[in-house]
Amino acid sequence: MAFFKRIRKGSRSRREHYQSSHRFEHWYADNQVYFITARCRDRVPAFASEQAKVIFWDRFRYYTHKYGFIPWVTSLLDNHYHTLGYIYNGENLPQLMRHLHGSVAKLVNDTYPLGPPASVGGEPRPSRLVPFWRDTKGREYFDGCIRDEKQCWLAYRYTLTQARRHGVSDAPATYPHTQAPIDVDHGVRRATEVGAFLEALPYKRYRS
């Protein structure tokens, strides 16, 4: 069954290309399963303390509930997080990310600063991390619309096993900062029923 999806694209620039490359865009799609990931700038372990992790989870739960994002699985490490979940109104996603990231950055910087200046890549690092969120490509976060069941399974498993991948814990169940409130079988089945995959645009890596 085909489902209509309202999709809006967003970018920090109105120019579609930069130096012959297509600019990164955020896609805000209704009734969609998303994979979202974000990293602290320069891979700084801003969430190394348990208290900083508590701040993240408090704000994550508050804003995901406020903006209607239903997390299936989320994993928080010392300098990044991944989450896979569903949102009905795609226009809520930029609001969710702005408020979540802004509040977490402020509270972690204000309450649990990184300590005295240290060297990162030969450059001095202040105790406050500003900007707080940035990956190696300068993006504050990456959001990807899940295309099909296979990609959903892969994203779920990838997120669920983050603690093992980073040598934190051998078993996801023993790491308290990986949380999976939605079973993947149930999530995939429900997403298929309501047309919550962006099937019209499959990833090249899955084509035969």
Side-chain angles (χ1 to χ4, degrees):
M1 181 182 297
F3 292 82
F4 171 77
K5 279 186 181 292
R6 180 184 60 172
I7 301 175
R8 180 174 69 84
K9 299 179 182 180
S11 175
R12 289 187 297 176
S13 173
R14 293 184 178 180
R15 297 177 61 185
E16 184 176 358
H17 295 85
Y18 176 72
Q19 294 181 350
S20 75
S21 297
H22 196 283
R23 286 185 182 274
F24 174 77
E25 296 174 326
H26 295 291
W27 285 30
Y28 307 126
D30 291 347
N31 185 39
Q32 179 63 44
V33 178
Y34 272 94
F35 174 73
I36 300 170
T37 183
R39 178 184 294 158
C40 299
R41 181 171 60 86
D42 298 327
R43 301 178 185 266
V44 171
F47 298 108
S49 71
E50 191 68 16
Q51 297 93 330
K53 288 185 175 73
V54 168
I55 287 175
F56 173 86
W57 285 116
D58 176 74
R59 296 297 82 196
F60 181 80
R61 294 187 184 101
Y62 177 81
Y63 284 114
T64 53
H65 176 75
K66 179 177 180 177
Y67 290 109
F69 180 82
I70 302 173
W72 295 8
V73 58
T74 306
S75 190
L76 172 66
L77 281 299
D78 286 356
N79 63 13
H80 71 281
Y81 74 90
H82 304 292
T83 187
L84 177 76
Y86 169 84
I87 195 167
Y88 179 76
N89 185 351
E91 290 294 331
N92 283 349
L93 184 61
Q95 304 291 335
L96 161 63
M97 299 308 297
R98 183 168 68 252
H99 287 111
L100 170 63
H101 279 192
S103 62
V104 169
K106 175 173 172 47
L107 289 170
V108 171
N109 270 326
D110 287 352
T111 313
Y112 302 103
L114 299 172
S119 177
V120 176
E123 296 294 330
R125 187 199 73 201
S127 60
R128 295 180 65 85
L129 191 59
V130 181
F132 192 93
W133 305 97
R134 284 291 182 274
D135 66 12
T136 55
K137 296 183 179 180
R139 301 174 301 197
E140 182 177 328
Y141 67 93
F142 168 84
D143 57 84
C145 296
I146 298 296
R147 264 62 170 184
D148 52 33
E149 293 184 12
K150 180 177 181 179
Q151 191 189 19
C152 192
W153 271 91
L154 291 173
Y156 191 101
R157 184 175 63 184
Y158 178 78
T159 305
L160 188 67
T161 59
Q162 279 295 296
R164 186 172 66 213
R165 289 172 180 272
H166 290 273
V168 177
S169 175
D170 291 335
T174 65
Y175 181 63
H177 298 293
T178 293
Q179 301 182 9
I182 302 294
D183 177 76
V184 65
D185 290 328
H186 172 78
V188 168
R189 183 168 59 250
R190 182 58 180 160
T192 302
E193 290 173 355
V194 301
F197 296 133
L198 201 63
E199 295 177 341
L201 297 170
Y203 275 174
K204 293 181 179 179
R205 73 183 72 171
Y206 300 139
R207 294 174 181 169
S208 57

